[in-house]
Amino acid sequence: MDYEEILKTISCWMEAYTPICDKDDSPLFQLEPPATEEEISAVEKQINRRLPDSLRTFFLCHARYLKLTAYFSDDFSEKLPPAIHSLFSAFLELSLDDLPSLNESCQESIRVCLAEPEHPSAAQLQNVLPLTWVPCGDLLVFDYSQDAFDPPVLYLDFYAAEYHLCVLGHSFKDFLERYTAVGLCGTEDTQMASFLPNKTDGIQPDCLNAKLFRSFFFSE
């Protein structure tokens, strides 16, 4: 699936969510025009790292900023079966311009919360770059220790709880495709957990919970 198709699918989800959101809290989907090579290079200079290849392509060819939000009404949430009852929203924000400040905040939080030499993830965390923030205070990050050019997307939990450093996608594009397929289900680990059978294989768009959730909106 290419990025144009992914963006069309995102738009379809946002339309599908409109009837299940409260009228005063309708879904929001924002895109800003692509960035230039010079703008991307300037950000890379600030973070002292080349962006992952597939994220670079997204910013350069499709959008420098993407944001979507949809908060499900209580009436709809009450209809969800126990297996997916934790789903209450769709959310994602990607911003080229915000990456330097996000990276600075990420590195400071790692130093404060997770950087003790004896911490099991201390060495791995020296090679992460944040992709986006999570409303609960955590982050989605790239792990350059696994791939220097197009690293996987992981969940970073500052309390090192169950889904800390869980793989969500094997590259940015892979993550975005998987995340879109399950309805952009909110970036909190408690929501994505419905589609994560383990910590290494990423979001599973064809798992039973994903099919169950999609059945509320589309026929497969």
Side-chain angles (χ1 to χ4, degrees):
M1 184 183 295
D2 62 24
Y3 282 125
E4 290 294 342
E5 190 173 353
I6 291 172
L7 290 172
K8 288 179 181 177
T9 304
I10 291 175
S11 182
C12 288
W13 274 111
M14 291 297 102
E15 291 178 11
Y17 286 146
T18 299
I20 68 161
C21 294
D22 293 329
K23 291 182 179 180
D24 57 351
D25 197 17
S26 58
L28 172 70
F29 181 27
Q30 295 176 284
L31 283 175
E32 292 185 5
T36 64
E37 178 67 40
E38 291 75 18
E39 289 170 331
I40 292 175
S41 296
V43 167
E44 291 175 330
K45 186 176 181 179
Q46 291 182 71
I47 65 175
N48 198 30
R49 193 187 293 270
R50 180 179 170 87
L51 294 180
D53 289 347
S54 57
L55 180 62
R56 255 185 148 266
T57 298
F58 180 80
F59 283 145
L60 187 61
C61 301
H62 300 280
R64 68 183 303 131
Y65 178 82
L66 175 151
K67 184 174 184 179
L68 60 92
T69 56
Y71 294 98
F72 311 153
S73 68
D74 291 341
D75 288 344
F76 175 77
S77 296
E78 290 171 359
K79 298 175 183 177
L80 295 176
I84 54 173
H85 197 264
S86 62
L87 304 181
F88 63 87
S89 71
F91 177 83
L92 184 64
E93 184 173 26
L94 305 171
S95 173
L96 172 66
D97 299 328
D98 289 347
L99 277 180
S101 60
L102 186 64
N103 184 52
E104 184 177 345
S105 174
C106 172
Q107 299 308 321
E108 177 60 24
S109 296
I110 287 173
R111 283 193 292 270
V112 171
C113 300
L114 300 168
E116 298 87 349
E118 66 275 11
H119 196 283
S121 62
Q124 186 177 4
L125 290 169
Q126 300 308 306
N127 288 289
V128 301
L129 174 74
L131 168 63
T132 187
W133 63 286
V134 177
C136 68
D138 295 329
L139 293 169
L140 306 191
V141 300
F142 293 105
D143 181 8
Y144 281 82
S145 69
Q146 298 190 42
D147 189 313
F149 300 99
D150 215 5
V153 176
L154 278 57
Y155 191 91
L156 194 157
D157 185 327
F158 288 112
Y159 292 95
E162 181 180 0
Y163 289 93
H164 180 53
L165 300 182
C166 176
V167 175
L168 305 177
H170 302 295
S171 67
F172 168 72
K173 184 177 181 183
D174 182 62
F175 160 72
L176 189 59
E177 184 172 353
R178 290 170 182 265
Y179 189 58
T180 300
V182 298
L184 306 127
C185 55
T187 45
E188 295 92 346
D189 54 348
T190 53
Q191 296 202 74
M192 290 188 289
S194 300
F195 315 113
L196 291 168
N198 55 56
K199 293 188 66 172
T200 59
D201 292 340
I203 295 167
Q204 297 297 300
D206 295 320
C207 70
L208 291 177
N209 285 342
K211 293 177 180 178
L212 177 59
F213 184 65
R214 285 195 295 267
S215 71
F216 282 85
F217 305 94
F218 310 108
S219 58
E220 298 192 355

